[in-house]
């Protein structure tokens, strides 16, 4: 059972926008602006897309954006492309008994 | 280019031990905080633990499921971080990743991942 809750799957058509939610608690997402999002293609290592809720690392497309409200963070992917089909994970710093917690992952089908 | 290369995975019996290594290149290793994460087959990501740099005190933190069984250490002269695993359980079966983060965000923004090494406890 993951500390953060994500929908198991989402889908969208090329060119559309989708949003993936990530719900935590007052001990993690609600307590800190240290939420990150990762993309993972099958058989590959995860790739950092967003950190500090809204910040994109260098080289990450502006089609990826993050936000947070209360205990829930969200990742929005605009202008969906076939290569966006992957698993997406949220992560957060936590003051619970584990320093870093992840969501269970969301499979995006384009 | 930063590279993290893990080794040491394999098949181990329950209650057995294993030590993973991760050699880093392309970064100032002595300044970096290094972490380990894992992913059970077909499952999500899980943070395992982290070791700070020597200048930050080499402090370690561990996820609750591995605390007391796993130990992270580092050898800056070899640009290597280790994960010593003891009293292994079936549920420790996973691909183990060596990870480091963005400077200043070592505990919340993991931008460099190794290719992973598979540990099977059976």
């Amino acid at each position: 059972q993951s500390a953060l809750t994500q929908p198991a799957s989402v889908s969208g058509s090329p060119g559309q926008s989708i949003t993936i939610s990530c719900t935590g608690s007052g001990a993690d997402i609600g307590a800190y602006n240290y939420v990150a999002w990762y993309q993972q293609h099958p058989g590959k290592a995860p790739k950092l897309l967003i950190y500090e809720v809204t910040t994109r690392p260098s080289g990450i497309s502006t089609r990826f954006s993050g936000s947070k409200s209360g205990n829930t963070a969200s990742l929005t992917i605009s202008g969906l492309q076939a290569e966006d089909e992957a698993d997406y994970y949220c992560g957060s710093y936590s003051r619970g008994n584990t320093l870093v917690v992840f969501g269970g992952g969301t499979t995006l089908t384009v | 280019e930063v590279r993290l290369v893990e080794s040491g995975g394999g098949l181990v019996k329950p209650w057995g031990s294993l030590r993973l290594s991760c050699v880093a290149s392309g970064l100032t290793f002595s300044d970096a905080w290094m972490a380990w994460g894992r992913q059970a087959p077909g499952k999500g990501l899980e943070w395992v633990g982290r070791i700070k740099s020597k200048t930050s005190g080499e402090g370690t933190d561990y996820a609750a499921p591995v605390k007391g069984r796993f130990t992270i250490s580092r050898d800056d002269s070899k640009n290597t971080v280790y994960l010593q695993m003891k009293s292994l359980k079936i549920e420790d079966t996973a691909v183990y990743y060596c990870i480091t983060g963005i400077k200043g965000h070592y505990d919340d923004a993991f931008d460099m991942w190794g290719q992973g090494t598979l540990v099977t406890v059976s």
Side-chain angles (χ1 to χ4, degrees), chain A:
Chain A
Q1 185 113 3
S2 301
L4 307 179
T5 301
Q6 298 179 235
S9 63
V10 298
S11 63
S13 300
Q16 286 186 333
S17 295
I18 62 95
T19 296
I20 300 172
S21 62
C22 172
T23 301
S25 70
D28 37 67
I29 292 178
Y32 305 99
N33 286 323
Y34 293 136
V35 177
W37 289 92
Y38 302 86
Q39 177 191 62
Q40 187 179 35
H41 287 105
K44 301 292 188 181
K47 176 182 179 181
L48 179 66
L49 296 176
I50 298 283
Y51 69 99
E52 221 173 4
V53 180
T54 61
T55 304
R56 281 184 304 277
S58 174
I60 299 300
S61 170
T62 56
R63 298 189 299 108
F64 297 93
S65 61
S67 63
K68 189 188 92 164
S69 178
N71 295 338
T72 299
S74 298
L75 172 71
T76 297
I77 309 174
S78 60
L80 275 176
Q81 300 177 1
E83 58 261 37
D84 297 333
E85 191 161 286
D87 292 328
Y88 291 83
Y89 294 90
C90 59
S92 175
Y93 190 82
S94 172
R95 62 181 180 214
N97 59 2
T98 292
L99 199 63
V100 180
V101 291
F102 286 101
T106 298
T107 297
L108 169 61
T109 302
V110 180

Side-chain angles (χ1 to χ4, degrees), chain A residues 34-36 38 40 44-48 51-52 57 89 91 93 97-104, chain B residues 39 43-47 50 61-65 67 97 102 105 107-111 113-115:
Chain A
Y34 293 136
V35 177
Y38 302 86
Q40 187 179 35
K44 301 292 188 181
K47 176 182 179 181
L48 179 66
Y51 69 99
E52 221 173 4
Y89 294 90
Y93 190 82
N97 59 2
T98 292
L99 199 63
V100 180
V101 291
F102 286 101
Chain B
Q39 186 169 32
K43 301 296 184 182
L45 301 175
E46 183 181 18
W47 181 84
R50 177 266 291 131
D61 281 282
Y62 300 95
K67 197 171 294 186
Y97 291 102
I102 292 175
H105 291 276
D107 280 339
D108 64 276
F110 306 121
D111 66 332
W113 299 66
Q115 84 287 353

Side-chain angles (χ1 to χ4, degrees), chain B residues 12 24 41 56:
Chain B
V12 60
S56 295

